[in-house]
Amino acid sequence: MTEPTSTTPSIDVALVRRLLAAQFPQWWDLDLRPIEPGGWDNRTFRLGDRMTVRLPSAEHYVLQVEKEHRWLPLLAPQLPLPIPVPLGKGVPGEGFPWPWSVYRYLTGDTLAVERVDDVGQVAKDLTGFLRALMQADATGGPMPGDHNFHRGAPPAFYDAQTRQALTLLAGDVDTMAAAEVWEAALAAPFEGAPVWFHGDIAWGNLLVENGSLSGVIDFGTSGVGDPACDLAIAWTFFDGESREIFRDGMALDHGAWARGRGWTLWKALIVLAGMAGAPASEKAKQRVVIDEVLADHRRYG
């Protein structure tokens, strides 16, 4: 997660309207309005009743555009829940320097406890989706790299950053226990065949409708590698019985859960330490996540 810089172009309705008029004139006069919250990696706009427009918010998200256009249409038929389907790929223009996308709109609201009938059922449905994703044909798929900030790679890629955060947070969190969790993640290498993963399974990327999980969006950090990064929601959303349902349903080994705790801890630490450009309101949430991860390690270590 990186705060857009001062060189990020201003992305607003007027810009999107100009881009549509120049490149997709069949859609330029449809109703257009921003979707809030706008997200970190992209700015998203509702286009008419059936489409969305997504523009990268900074240059380091540009590689995700081509990836999604290539792979999402191939993944969609293999998955039990709807995912975004690209309808058109725009090119730089009208002062906007990067490629951009038009997608089919997926109905639903972002995941929240008050929007679902049974959190345990959500956990079960999500494991069904993730396991189907892991079983999808990974031939030629994108390995971890700059396009997804190395999700699916060994957690060691972020070792220096994690240790810097621990230094900055000394006296603020239990850094000794956190370091133990991190070391356990580093000591549990992924030894399986690379599989598809989403890379950012979080409440904002999961849709619910009529009380049930209805779709999964934002595959910008997806790739083929270690799926342990998709376990973070065990500590950022689920708890108690729903967490155990999720754990059992994923059916991953002890090492995967050690790496999953590591990925979750890394993200929480850098946000709490102010290294990720996240708003201050996120810090209290990350303290809760860190506590949950440390408790989980004590229990399952």
Side-chain angles (χ1 to χ4, degrees), residues 23 68 84 86 88 166 174 180 210 247 263 282:
Q23 300 181 35
E68 291 193 348
L166 288 170
D174 188 345
E180 183 178 314
N210 299 321
R247 187 188 304 275
W263 275 106
E282 284 295 311

Side-chain angles (χ1 to χ4, degrees), residues 154-157 159 163 179-191 226 253-263 297 301:
F157 183 83
D159 185 50
R163 295 186 191 282
E180 183 178 314
V181 171
W182 184 245
E183 294 292 349
L186 299 180
F190 175 58
E191 297 176 341
D226 177 11
D253 62 23
H254 183 270
W257 285 98
R259 295 189 303 278
R261 285 190 291 267
W263 275 106
H297 176 73

